[in-house]
Amino acid sequence: MPVEEALERYDMAEASNNPDWDVDDYFGEEPEHFYVHRGDLAIDGALALGNGPDEDEDEDEDEGEGEDTVYVIDGDLTVSGPITFLNMDVYTTLYVTGSVVAQDLVCLWDSCLFVGRSLTVRNLLATSLTEAGALVVKGPVSAHTWLETGGRGCIYFAGKPDARLVASADSGAGGPADPYSDGANAGVYLGGEGKVDILAEVVLPEFLEEDGTCDDMKIREAVFEGRSVLR
């Protein structure tokens, strides 16, 4: 869909919870693309999104990938298996106007996932974002376990998630992440009366570094393959 038409139809500032969202700032010198799927989308199996550090960037560019792109699903997204979303120096965004349901969901680094309604994760929701990354959900969020290891990026939920909370000691230390609006930080959901389990006591040793932090790539790989990450 042409960018001008897409921006009229889909309010990316509202979707991203960033009132300063600007298409020129977002894309920079990269080509501007909006790909839109109208209607609900159901995927049988696992769904891997984004680019990893071991991928051949030149090959991606030849295939039309590796470019900053917005993908819109104008409806609900249902995935019977896990969703893994990893961006590294590529600011590809997935905007689902409806609800998202998945077995697991892993959002890492520069990934940007915007959900217009609810997010339901039957097993593990794992987040570790940079300042460029975002997970924005405008409706209820539920998961068996939410594992938050980054302490950065924009994490905005409409309310406190219905999930077991597991985090590193410093995941809730930061304030709202500029330039997103107030509340765009995991610390908002990790504080208060709810109990937060310590990451090192819950995550399997094979996914922990010597300093007690998580190996994001190992977690991503294990979740995609259907292997357990937690004790």
Side-chain angles (χ1 to χ4, degrees):
M1 177 179 291
V3 172
E4 184 175 343
E5 180 182 346
L7 291 174
E8 290 181 359
R9 182 182 295 267
Y10 304 105
D11 186 344
M12 296 305 299
E14 168 66 18
S16 64
N17 206 53
N18 181 359
D20 298 322
W21 195 93
D22 180 84
V23 65
D24 293 329
D25 292 340
Y26 177 86
F27 284 110
E29 296 180 357
E30 297 288 343
E32 299 174 355
H33 300 290
F34 269 77
Y35 294 106
V36 178
H37 173 89
R38 292 190 176 94
D40 298 341
L41 180 62
I43 296 175
D44 184 15
L47 175 61
L49 304 171
N51 72 310
D54 296 328
E55 294 181 2
D56 187 329
E57 294 182 1
D58 292 335
E59 180 180 344
D60 286 346
E61 290 174 1
D62 290 342
E63 296 176 358
E65 300 175 357
E67 300 173 342
D68 295 339
T69 304
V70 176
Y71 293 93
V72 177
I73 297 175
D74 197 349
D76 297 336
L77 172 62
T78 303
V79 181
S80 66
I83 301 173
T84 61
F85 196 179
L86 168 67
N87 274 344
M88 182 178 181
D89 298 326
V90 176
Y91 307 114
T92 295
T93 294
L94 173 61
Y95 173 31
V96 181
T97 65
S99 297
V100 173
V101 177
Q103 178 68 20
D104 304 276
L105 173 60
V106 179
C107 288
L108 300 181
W109 304 353
D110 301 334
S111 299
C112 293
L113 173 59
F114 307 144
V115 181
R117 295 183 180 172
S118 63
L119 171 63
T120 302
V121 181
R122 293 184 289 270
N123 187 28
L124 179 66
L125 167 62
T127 54
S128 182
L129 300 173
T130 67
E131 279 76 7
L135 173 59
V136 176
V137 183
K138 295 305 181 75
V141 175
S142 64
H144 182 276
T145 301
W146 176 23
L147 173 63
E148 157 57 20
T149 64
R152 299 187 293 165
C154 168
I155 295 181
Y156 175 86
F157 300 150
K160 191 161 186 175
D162 179 12
R164 176 194 187 190
L165 305 179
V166 179
S168 57
D170 59 352
S171 289
D178 184 67
Y180 296 94
S181 60
D182 291 344
N185 186 273
V188 174
Y189 315 103
L190 298 173
E193 299 178 357
K195 178 184 177 182
V196 179
D197 292 329
I198 302 302
L199 179 152
E201 298 176 355
V202 176
V203 176
L204 288 169
E206 65 187 276
F207 300 105
L208 296 174
E209 303 282 12
E210 291 184 0
D211 61 359
T213 60
C214 279
D215 187 319
D216 294 335
M217 296 301 290
K218 285 185 178 180
I219 288 178
R220 174 195 182 219
E221 180 180 1
V223 168
F224 186 78
E225 295 175 352
R227 294 186 282 119
S228 179
V229 171
L230 307 180
R231 299 175 191 266

